[in-house]
Structures are given as C-alpha cells and as structure tokens.
Amino acid sequence: MKTKISTLFALVLCIFSLNASAIKLSKDATISILTCAPGNELYSLFGHTGIRITDEANRLDIVFNYGTFDFETQGFYFKFAQGLLPYQLSCTDFDYFVRSYHREKRSVYSQTLNLDSIQKQYLMDLLVENYQPQNRSYLYNFLYDNCSTRVRDIIEKSTDNHITWTAEPSTKSFWNLLDEYLRRSPWTQWGIHTILGSPATSTATTREQMFLPDYLMYRLDSAAYNGNRLVEPIEVIYQAPEQDLSTPWYLSPFFVFAVCTLAFILLLQKYKSRRLLKAVAIPFFIATGIIGCLIVFLCFFTKHPTMFPNFNALWANPLNLIAAFFLGKRELPWIINKYISVYLYILIIGFLLWFLFIPAVPYASMVIFVWMMYLCIRLR
C-alpha cells in the first residue's frame, strides 16, 4: 500500500505541482543516471538514458526522461523527416519505467552521482525548470541533441562545468559509432548510411560520442569531479536474457543486391530483347529516382546538420524518375539518350572516386553503381 501511495504522490507531484520551489530534496536523496540497452524498434536501436530521483523522505522515486515524443503530433512523420519534431521532457514512476524495459527484454543500468546536497538540489531545480510546459519541448537532433546529450549537459551545468571527461584517444567517426549498433540490422544500416551525408564520416570527439547512451555511461564511469569519481560503479537494475537478433549474412543488402544483379545480367545477356531490357530498367530508375528525391529533400529542406553533401546522390539521381517515364516509349528522345550517357559517366566517376577518397557510400550501394552502369550501357 505504501508503494501505491508513494507512486501516486510522485505522479501527482510531477504532473500538477512542479514549479521552481516545489520539491526540496532531503539530505539522503540520491540522483542516478539510468542507461537502457538497445531495443528492436528503429527508435530504440541505440538505447536510452534517464535521470532517477530517489528520496524516501519525500516518498519520491521518479524518472525524468528527455526522449518522449507524441505520435499524435500533427504531421508527425513529415516533421520527423524535417528534423522539426518536438521531443519532450517527461516524468514517470520508476517502477513503471523499469517494467516497460523488462517487457521489452532490455537491460537497465544505474550510476549514482557523487554530488553534495546543494548540487543535488540544483540539478533537481534544473529538471523542474525544464519540466515547465513552456520549457519541456525541444527540437530533437539525433547526433547532437537527444535524450543522452541532454542528460550530459544538465549534469555539467549542475557541477558548473567542472567535470573532467577521460577517455582513450579515438578515431571513430559517427558512422563507426552507429555501426556498432546497426550490424545486427544490415538493412537499417544500409538505409541510414544512404541518407546520412559525408559529415557523418568526421571523427567524433569524446564529448560528441556521448550522444549514445552506452558511451555516456562509460564516460561517466571514468569521469572525475573535484578530483573524485563523478559516479558510483555501475549497478545492474535489470539484466535481460541474451538474444540473438542478428540477420543472416545471406539476407544482407550486399548479398541480396549482388545476387539479384548477377541474375538480371545473366537474364538480359541471354535474352537480347529491348522490351525486356526496358521492363527491367524502368523499376530501377523509378526506385533510384525516389531515393534521390529523398536525399535532396533531406539535404536542402530539413534542419538535419549531417545530410549535405551526400555522395549517394551520384547513383540515386532524382532525374531518373523523369527518365523512367520515357523508357517505356518505343524510341527514346534524344535528350533522354543524352541524360543516360551523362548519368553513365557520373556513375563511372563516382565508382572510381569511391575507391580513392569517398568513403561515404555503403558497400551494398556499390553493387547498385555496377548495376545501373550496366543498364545505362545497354540502353544507349
């Protein structure tokens, strides 16, 4: 019964009573950073971070969460694509928070901050201030402003930016960091690599690496404040069972693209039919054109900072949509013939440049380069 009263009290306190002076923590209150393991859904592939406030004197055990969004937001998907989807700071009961990760079989870890009572109160006041209706929303940015970086920033602010972050020098790029989580989902990996521009190949600093919850947890574990450890050793709140969620190699984009390309080439080499060639080419010109439109949209009409330049536009050209319309005609207009020739040269140059100094194209897409070059040569 006490737990139910405590939970109800905490939720009512969070929802109705939070203001700059609503909660005065006792001297025994603790503040912990919760790190949640990656999940299976796209939005949970990289894990999650929350801040737990525990204070028995106030019957308080709650979690502040900067990763909340509302599917009912008007124009949700369009705003998400534009980088204009508002995320919010939410507050929930700790038991409810952990149960949700238990259901999803995602481990939860905790690190207690070694702060004095004044700093704990200051951090709590900052959270309460952030939770005000006029402050709780922010424009989410996956690499630079998310549930993990917000936690890092508020910890730094509560300690007057006197934290010493220690880590071994790293040459990892944002791509390298993301790939650590995407290898088990190769199709998602290919998709993200396709839409992210070359800025994502830049090396991430120690501080920038903390956009990933796991990296924040490990950086906190080695961080120092006033010559002492910033946090207590990592504690396991819930250990999920091991799961093998990897995708078989024969279902990877590279293998599928390679097999399909080889099969189509053998088919078209055996049957020298112009009509069959066009029937095969049209869907691929449409698909690459649509992907090209998406890349152009992300590069020039969104707030995402790592989309331009994107060298995947060398094979995913929006003009392919127009070319696809004319491929169905008996005779190709001269301008379409000219476009196919120019597109072929672009593909050849892009393929060669990839070997030299453009790493920002996934390996699977190099098969698409080869396939589209073959189609252009046959269509000319």
Side-chain angles (χ1 to χ4, degrees):
M1 185 65 180
K2 180 180 179 181
T3 301
K4 292 182 179 179
I5 293 175
S6 175
T7 299
L8 179 61
F9 178 82
L11 291 177
V12 170
L13 189 61
C14 282
I15 296 172
F16 299 108
S17 304
L18 287 183
N19 56 60
S21 59
I23 303 175
K24 293 300 181 184
L25 298 178
S26 71
K27 61 181 180 62
D28 296 320
T30 60
I31 300 181
S32 308
I33 306 305
L34 302 179
T35 304
C36 309
N40 300 325
E41 300 298 330
L42 178 60
Y43 65 85
S44 65
L45 282 177
F46 306 97
H48 184 57
T49 303
I51 302 178
R52 179 186 182 186
I53 310 293
T54 307
D55 189 355
E56 290 188 6
N58 284 310
R59 294 187 179 182
L60 205 61
D61 196 357
I62 55 178
V63 177
F64 285 92
N65 175 7
Y66 280 101
T68 307
F69 55 87
D70 184 5
F71 278 113
E72 301 301 320
T73 301
Q74 186 174 5
F76 175 86
Y77 291 104
F78 187 64
K79 288 182 178 179
F80 181 80
Q82 284 186 300
L84 297 176
L85 180 67
Y87 271 56
Q88 292 185 341
L89 172 64
S90 64
C91 181
T92 189
D93 175 64
F94 171 73
D95 288 337
Y96 175 83
F97 181 87
V98 171
R99 282 198 302 270
S100 66
Y101 287 92
H102 193 285
R103 287 193 299 270
E104 296 177 11
K105 294 182 172 59
R106 298 169 59 187
S107 300
V108 180
Y109 307 96
S110 175
Q111 294 166 288
T112 301
L113 291 169
N114 288 322
L115 303 178
D116 60 34
S117 57
I118 296 176
Q119 291 159 342
K120 291 176 189 176
Q121 186 62 56
Y122 183 35
L123 199 157
M124 183 64 182
D125 291 343
L126 289 173
L127 288 170
V128 171
E129 181 182 3
N130 278 184
Y131 190 74
Q132 297 305 301
Q134 68 273 20
N135 300 329
R136 67 180 61 163
S137 296
Y138 69 100
L139 289 182
Y140 176 87
N141 183 287
F142 177 62
L143 297 181
Y144 299 109
D145 193 359
N146 63 14
C147 68
S148 185
T149 63
R150 289 258 160 172
V151 171
R152 175 203 64 197
D153 294 347
I154 202 168
I155 295 173
E156 288 180 329
K157 188 173 182 179
S158 68
T159 56
D160 295 325
N161 296 307
H162 288 160
I163 297 175
T164 302
W165 301 105
T166 59
E168 293 295 324
S170 173
T171 59
K172 290 183 179 180
S173 67
F174 287 101
W175 262 27
N176 299 145
L177 294 168
L178 294 176
D179 282 346
E180 294 176 9
Y181 299 82
L182 293 172
R183 289 192 184 97
R184 68 179 188 179
S185 306
W187 285 96
T188 302
Q189 183 182 38
W190 175 74
I192 291 178
H193 275 229
T194 298
I195 63 174
L196 278 182
S198 60
T201 63
S202 62
T203 301
T205 65
T206 297
R207 193 169 187 277
E208 287 174 335
Q209 290 174 356
M210 288 183 270
F211 81 95
L212 291 166
D214 283 344
Y215 275 80
L216 174 62
M217 178 174 71
Y218 294 126
R219 297 297 175 260
L220 285 171
D221 193 49
S222 61
Y225 174 62
N226 287 340
N228 300 312
R229 285 179 57 96
L230 176 63
V231 297
E232 295 294 327
I234 299 171
E235 176 188 356
V236 179
I237 299 295
Y238 165 65
Q239 184 65 59
E242 289 290 333
Q243 301 180 74
D244 183 10
L245 301 174
S246 59
T247 300
W249 61 269
Y250 51 82
L251 294 180
S252 67
F254 182 86
F255 186 80
V256 171
F257 289 166
V259 169
C260 290
T261 294
L262 180 60
F264 277 122
I265 289 176
L266 292 175
L267 176 67
L268 294 175
Q269 287 296 111
K270 182 176 182 179
Y271 300 100
K272 305 288 186 176
S273 167
R274 186 77 174 172
R275 179 177 297 179
L276 176 62
L277 173 63
K278 290 184 176 182
V280 171
I282 288 173
F284 285 98
F285 270 75
I286 291 175
T288 54
I290 291 174
I291 295 173
C293 289
L294 175 61
I295 290 174
V296 169
F297 172 76
L298 292 172
C299 284
F300 299 105
F301 301 98
T302 71
K303 295 292 186 179
H304 299 294
T306 54
M307 297 299 177
F308 180 83
N310 189 333
F311 292 102
N312 287 286
L314 294 173
W315 62 266
N317 193 320
L319 295 178
N320 284 1
L321 278 176
I322 299 175
F325 175 78
F326 290 98
L327 288 180
K329 297 185 179 297
R330 183 184 295 271
E331 294 294 332
L332 297 180
W334 70 268
I335 193 170
I336 298 301
N337 274 316
K338 180 64 70 175
Y339 169 73
I340 290 174
S341 296
V342 172
Y343 181 47
L344 173 60
Y345 293 133
I346 291 174
L347 289 170
I348 294 173
I349 293 171
F351 189 82
L352 294 175
L353 289 177
W354 178 77
F355 281 104
L356 297 176
F357 59 85
I358 300 180
V361 176
Y363 286 100
S365 295
M366 303 316 297
V367 181
I368 302 177
F369 267 94
V370 173
W371 171 238
M372 296 306 291
M373 281 191 281
Y374 174 83
L375 288 178
C376 288
I377 291 171
R378 289 290 305 274
L379 287 168
R380 292 173 69 193

